[in-house]
Amino acid sequence: MGDGVDEGRRATLRRVAALGAVGPFAGLAEDDSGIRETIAGYLATTPGAHFSKIRDDLDLATGETQHHLKRLERDGTVESHRDGDYRRYFPAREFDAFERTALGFLRRETPRGMVIALLRDGDATASDLAADVGVSRPTISNHAADLDAAGLLSREDGYSLVRPERLLTLLVSYADSFDAATVRFAREADQFISVDA
């Protein structure tokens, strides 16, 4: 373990990358350290992670992370998109603009909490959201404005999610990459799926 990467995590991520070999990782070149394979596998399970999260979660050095992410982008394995102060990374050609934007917001605790609360109760008010998420009403208002500007939330008549089924799918698909509360939500997500008769 000379480079400081947890070998158990690396092995798990290699398996994830191998499973994805029929998709965007099929042409991933093998390198001596396996770090690019590890990063690509990590992004398959944690799309929308920003640079520092990738570096910290994989216990990589800053320069090492920069080098390998640049190579992965140049090789067309991953793509990045600017999200405010962050550059977020995704498997290449896997997500549309709405999904990339949504994942960027879902990687933030308060917006993710708001989306989950609105999926649970589509009639939730700002006060309801503040109580549920555990923040102040002005904080909810600020995040609601950002979500509205990003095209994920409408504030026309209260708060309503744009494409709630897609947001639900992203939360359930990548629940393990968020937090324990999202994992619990994902277990009960079938309650929030509406089927038209």
Side-chain angles (χ1 to χ4, degrees), residues 49-87:
H50 57 75
F51 177 87
S52 298
K53 180 166 178 53
I54 297 166
R55 180 197 62 206
D56 296 348
D57 284 358
L58 298 178
D59 196 24
L60 300 171
T62 298
E64 181 179 39
T65 308
Q66 289 170 333
H67 168 75
H68 291 296
L69 283 170
K70 283 181 186 175
R71 286 279 307 268
L72 287 165
E73 280 196 273
R74 188 183 71 221
D75 295 345
T77 303
V78 304
E79 58 190 19
S80 68
H81 298 275
R82 177 62 70 189
D83 173 20
D85 294 335
Y86 296 105
R87 178 161 291 284

Side-chain angles (χ1 to χ4, degrees), residues 28-163:
L28 187 61
E30 186 67 36
D31 65 350
D32 291 336
S33 66
I35 293 174
R36 283 194 290 281
E37 183 180 320
T38 300
I39 293 171
Y42 174 82
L43 289 173
T45 60
T46 315
H50 57 75
F51 177 87
S52 298
K53 180 166 178 53
I54 297 166
R55 180 197 62 206
D56 296 348
D57 284 358
L58 298 178
D59 196 24
L60 300 171
T62 298
E64 181 179 39
T65 308
Q66 289 170 333
H67 168 75
H68 291 296
L69 283 170
K70 283 181 186 175
R71 286 279 307 268
L72 287 165
E73 280 196 273
R74 188 183 71 221
D75 295 345
T77 303
V78 304
E79 58 190 19
S80 68
H81 298 275
R82 177 62 70 189
D83 173 20
D85 294 335
Y86 296 105
R87 178 161 291 284
R88 296 193 180 274
Y89 294 86
F90 303 85
R93 300 169 302 282
E94 291 292 311
F95 300 96
D96 64 24
F98 178 87
E99 293 165 329
R100 287 190 304 268
T101 300
L103 282 164
F105 277 94
L106 293 174
R107 296 253 163 247
R108 301 173 193 160
E109 185 176 2
T110 300
R112 181 175 61 249
M114 292 171 64
V115 169
I116 289 172
L118 285 165
L119 286 168
R120 281 189 170 124
D121 178 6
D123 296 324
T125 64
S127 295
D128 297 333
L129 293 175
D132 196 33
V133 178
V135 297
S136 68
R137 281 191 58 190
T139 298
I140 292 295
S141 181
N142 289 338
H143 284 288
D146 292 342
L147 288 163
D148 188 8
L152 304 177
L153 179 79
S154 171
R155 297 183 296 166
E156 284 184 24
D157 185 25
Y159 292 150
S160 62
L161 295 171
V162 175
R163 296 181 64 188

